Amino acid sequence: MNPVARARRLFQDRFAMEPVAVASAPGRVNLIGEHVDYHGGHVLPVATAERTAVAVGPARGRLRAVSEHFPDIEAPWPHAAARAWSDYITGVAAQFEPDAPLLAGGLAVAVASDVPAGAGLSSSAALEVATAAALGAWTGRPPTASRLAEIAFRAETEFVGMPCGMMDQLAAVHATPHAALLIDCRTHAMERVPVGVDLVLVESGESRGLRDSAYSERRREGAEALRLLRPRFPNLLGLVDLPPARLQTIVRGLPAPLDRRVRHVVNENQRALLAARALGGGDHAAFGMLVNASHDSLRDLYECSTPRLDAVVTAARALPRVLGARLTGAGWGGAVLVVAERGGGGDVATRLATDRELAAPAVRVVTPGGGVRVE
Ligand code: GLA
């Protein structure tokens, strides 16, 4: 059964009524453009075929949240952040409050998902976006696509308190099947790029560990670099606007490790643009080389890889028909993306899954899917 049917069934079973609305949204895998979204740079994500479905309805002044994977939550409504999985739902609902009298009476939610949590697929954005679409459908005044992404983003940053960029939410809303989305994270301009290669995702099995605190630290470093560069570049909107040709000279004036961070951000943004062009133009070898360069930069300059992620990357790059490999998502654990020649992905996935030394907990072929849907 697909997650939509499962969410509906779970809702009926647990709340003994029909849901008022059901929506679903995908996870995402970023092909390139890592740690640039919060600097206003370019990213190139695809949505996963795996989706999260959310069914919603009224609950007599209570929050009642049930999920296939997490413990039941029952609490008074409206509901403050509780450091529980339901925060992603409450955070989204909070964005609707002023203009959604329907929700005032409480909220029953059932969640079913094929997007694994903690695997670097942004299961949180899938949950937020699906919830926003379901609640929007319930109010009878569905938000526009860009508003949906905004609602989900605010739930994550303001309510849950994760200082992420907007890539994950934009991808979960706007993705289309068989294509990657080149997103300008400043203007939200988007371009669809056909994906003529195979994509394989290897879970590292490393838990999030330091991820949230290290991510916040990188954001502080970025802000500090910007502050130090201001006197020299009074009109600089973000680090990605620094001229790449003069980068060497520019970073010489910055203390370590800010010089390394800036080099990564500026070059990674350029790589994302070049990679989108290479992929769209069918130059898959060039695309693979840019993917490799992205990992090396994340490892050496942004310092968000781990020995385990590096080992997976090295093993993948040694396989026939592999064009490139890199960590994808925030890093510090999570997953590795392997780019293979069209038709080679299945074989590459099998080899990586059966590599005893690697012992990867999960290897999956990624089929780029579509964005949010009201069911
Ligand atoms: C996490 C965040 C995204 C993005 C990536 C790094 O996935 O949620 O906004 O910053 O890290 O590219």
Side-chain angles (χ1 to χ4, degrees):
M1 235 197 302
N2 67 40
V4 172
R6 292 188 337 252
R8 194 168 269 137
R9 164 87 60 89
L10 187 62
F11 192 97
Q12 291 160 340
D13 287 354
R14 301 298 300 280
F15 305 127
M17 60 179 172
E18 286 296 319
V20 179
V22 184
S24 73
R28 65 94 188 90
V29 176
N30 190 21
L31 304 190
I32 195 164
E34 216 65 86
H35 287 287
V36 297
D37 60 346
Y38 49 85
H39 289 297
H42 293 80
V43 296
L44 189 66
V46 298
T48 62
E50 290 84 4
R51 301 177 74 84
T52 295
V54 174
V56 297
R60 292 213 193 91
R62 308 282 294 168
L63 168 69
R64 299 183 68 193
V66 299
S67 135
E68 288 177 331
H69 305 293
F70 300 106
D72 292 3
I73 307 261
E74 165 107 42
W77 182 263
H79 188 55
R83 296 199 159 272
W85 68 270
S86 55
D87 284 358
Y88 294 107
I89 287 160
T90 321
V92 167
Q95 309 294 323
F96 280 90
E97 246 156 41
D99 50 18
L102 282 176
L103 302 182
L107 177 61
V109 189
V111 180
S113 181
D114 289 337
V115 184
L121 291 176
S122 196
S123 58
S124 61
L127 177 55
E128 290 153 358
V129 168
T131 304
L135 294 181
W138 182 7
T139 64
R141 277 183 297 145
T144 60
S146 42
R147 178 79 189 121
L148 272 185
E150 181 75 33
I151 288 170
F153 176 66
R154 289 193 165 200
E156 178 93 42
T157 51
E158 292 171 16
F159 198 88
V160 177
M162 165 69 186
C164 62
M166 210 169 162
M167 164 172 72
D168 306 342
Q169 291 79 15
L170 288 168
V173 168
H174 295 281
T176 47
H178 313 299
L181 262 190
L182 177 66
I183 308 175
D184 177 334
C185 293
R186 179 173 295 142
T187 63
H188 296 180
M190 289 174 211
E191 208 178 295
R192 284 167 218 292
V193 182
V195 178
V197 291
D198 282 2
L199 306 170
V200 176
L201 196 78
V202 186
E203 263 180 53
S204 71
E206 280 177 318
S207 70
R208 303 174 80 89
L210 277 173
R211 195 178 305 165
D212 290 1
S213 61
Y215 189 93
S216 305
E217 182 184 77
R218 290 295 176 277
R219 295 221 49 174
R220 280 195 300 276
E221 289 169 347
E224 176 63 2
L226 200 57
R227 193 183 68 78
L228 294 174
L229 290 165
R230 262 281 136 63
R232 276 196 283 163
F233 300 91
N235 300 321
L236 196 67
L237 275 180
L239 295 179
V240 292
D241 303 307
L242 290 165
R246 285 166 51 209
L247 194 57
Q248 289 291 36
T249 328
I250 293 168
V251 298
R252 226 171 276 147
L254 288 173
L258 303 190
D259 53 346
R260 300 199 288 277
R261 309 293 188 253
V262 173
R263 276 168 61 203
H264 168 76
V265 170
V266 175
N267 289 332
E268 180 73 359
N269 183 49
Q270 296 302 313
R271 276 191 290 269
L273 289 164
L274 290 171
R277 202 178 306 156
L279 189 60
D283 189 349
H284 297 154
F287 178 70
M289 281 192 286
L290 289 158
V291 163
N292 283 340
S294 169
H295 181 81
D296 298 351
S297 175
L298 289 161
R299 181 191 60 210
D300 302 336
L301 302 178
Y302 217 70
E303 294 172 280
C304 63
S305 189
T306 63
R308 170 104 179 114
L309 289 169
D310 293 342
V312 176
V313 164
T314 305
R317 284 179 185 173
L319 294 177
R321 305 191 75 182
V322 167
L323 299 164
R326 60 180 284 273
L327 75 82
T328 179
W332 298 286
V336 165
L337 165 73
V338 183
V339 180
E341 286 169 11
R342 173 66 18 117
D347 190 41
V348 167
T350 307
R351 282 177 176 243
L352 289 169
T354 52
D355 184 326
R356 290 245 181 100
E357 214 173 304
L358 221 49
V363 178
R364 49 174 67 81
V365 174
V366 178
T367 314
V372 67
R373 232 171 21 223
V374 174
E375 306 287 350

